Amino acid sequence: MKDTFKHKGLRKKMVEELSRKGIKSSRVLNAIIKIPRHLFIDKEFESHAYIDKAFPIGSNQTISQPYTVAFQTCLLNIKKDDKVLEIGTGSGYQTAILVFLGAKVFTIERQHHLYRKVLKKLTKLGYNPELIKYGDGYLGIKEKSPFDKILVTAGAIEIPKSLLLQLKVGGEMIIPVGKVIQKMTHITRKSENKFDKKTFGDFNFVPMLKDKN
Ligand code: SAH
């Protein structure tokens, strides 16, 4: 699989579109310019890679819309060496963005088929998280906690307490919350027991499911 001039041109156009839609962070836009999103989608659907839309990746799941990936990444203000927990590895595209930004990424996927596929893909493309785990994101990864940032890429009905407790004091989490439509929710852990919450508009994610299959 190749990254051609044509792909690069399409990426540049997509980044211009994201910028028009309000994505301001030059670091995030640069990551999107550099990472070949078409390599995270099955070859026969490659032509969809640079359209700003979510897209099916098998097992009833989607690769998040580029705007959503950019929006979540910007809200978390990812810095080099941040220790980040991602829930819902999916295609691995969001994971690659976090790795590109210099974060130490721990990511969890609950669908075994997707987990196996993404493990191979990220290794092959050289975006190497600290850990790709097959498991239930509701549990987080207690033994690797606390995290500077937690990024949830599936819609949760409520904010999982177990995840709040795996945040560092001063740490931040971004999670879409709601059943049909989700409010993008940003949480800051102010102290052991105090969490600040802000919401940022409506989104539409696949559900964060309980337990493994
Ligand atoms: N970040 C991904 C988004 C994929 S969609 C991407 O850019 O491609 C959300 C993903 O969350 C799906 O792969 C789904 O299987 C996964 N998921 C849903 N519930 C989960 C849970 N409880 N734990 C871990 N992953 C979960």
Side-chain angles (χ1 to χ4, degrees):
M1 290 244 258
K2 279 197 219 141
D3 190 25
T4 63
F5 280 116
K6 185 173 165 219
H7 294 122
K8 291 189 173 103
L10 291 171
R11 276 210 294 288
K12 188 159 172 280
K13 280 221 174 87
M14 189 171 79
V15 161
E16 284 160 10
E17 182 180 345
L18 295 178
S19 169
R20 275 198 303 280
K21 288 180 175 169
I23 302 299
K24 293 203 172 60
S25 162
S26 54
R27 287 184 73 235
V28 172
L29 292 173
N30 179 50
I32 294 173
I33 282 260
K34 296 279 163 57
I35 299 174
R37 187 170 186 262
H38 64 284
L39 301 184
F40 292 83
I41 292 178
D42 285 345
K43 180 115 181 72
E44 60 267 39
F45 302 117
E46 186 186 293
S47 60
H48 295 258
Y50 299 114
I51 301 171
D52 187 24
K53 281 206 178 127
F55 194 77
I57 53 169
S59 311
N60 258 332
Q61 299 305 327
T62 57
I63 178 169
S64 300
Q65 181 178 349
Y67 176 79
T68 307
V69 171
F71 191 79
Q72 289 196 289
T73 312
C74 285
L75 276 181
L76 263 189
N77 188 23
I78 300 292
K79 300 206 184 73
K80 189 171 177 306
D81 294 330
D82 269 352
K83 193 171 156 191
V84 180
L85 174 65
E86 179 195 24
I87 311 297
T89 323
S91 69
Y93 178 67
Q94 169 79 72
T95 317
I97 300 254
L98 297 171
V99 169
F100 184 91
L101 292 172
K104 298 195 171 80
V105 184
F106 299 77
T107 181
I108 311 179
E109 174 55 56
R110 72 175 280 288
Q111 295 249 13
H112 198 249
H113 170 72
L114 290 178
Y115 161 76
R116 288 219 325 266
K117 204 167 156 183
V118 76
L119 190 65
K120 264 203 220 143
K121 172 130 294 178
L122 287 168
T123 312
K124 185 170 161 217
L125 296 177
Y127 298 105
N128 293 314
E130 301 291 311
L131 178 68
I132 306 175
K133 184 179 159 106
Y134 167 54
D136 179 6
Y138 278 97
L139 304 176
I141 311 180
K142 199 162 177 231
E143 64 278 17
K144 301 288 182 190
S145 67
F147 297 96
D148 296 302
K149 312 272 164 75
I150 299 180
L151 172 52
V152 182
T153 74
I157 289 173
E158 54 186 17
I159 301 166
K161 193 157 178 238
S162 49
L163 294 184
L164 289 174
L165 296 177
Q166 292 183 22
L167 268 182
K168 269 185 196 163
V169 170
E172 298 166 59
M173 168 151 88
I174 183 94
I175 176 167
V177 185
K179 202 164 184 187
V180 182
I181 297 291
Q182 293 85 32
K183 291 257 173 249
M184 191 62 83
T185 307
H186 179 275
I187 295 148
T188 309
R189 185 172 198 175
K190 291 288 186 186
S191 67
E192 268 316 293
N193 303 312
K194 191 167 177 286
F195 296 87
D196 268 8
K197 196 171 102 178
K198 278 190 196 145
T199 55
F200 294 86
D202 292 342
F203 286 80
N204 188 215
F205 282 79
V206 296
M208 182 167 171
L209 300 171
K210 294 253 185 211
D211 305 324
K212 292 190 292 186
N213 52 1

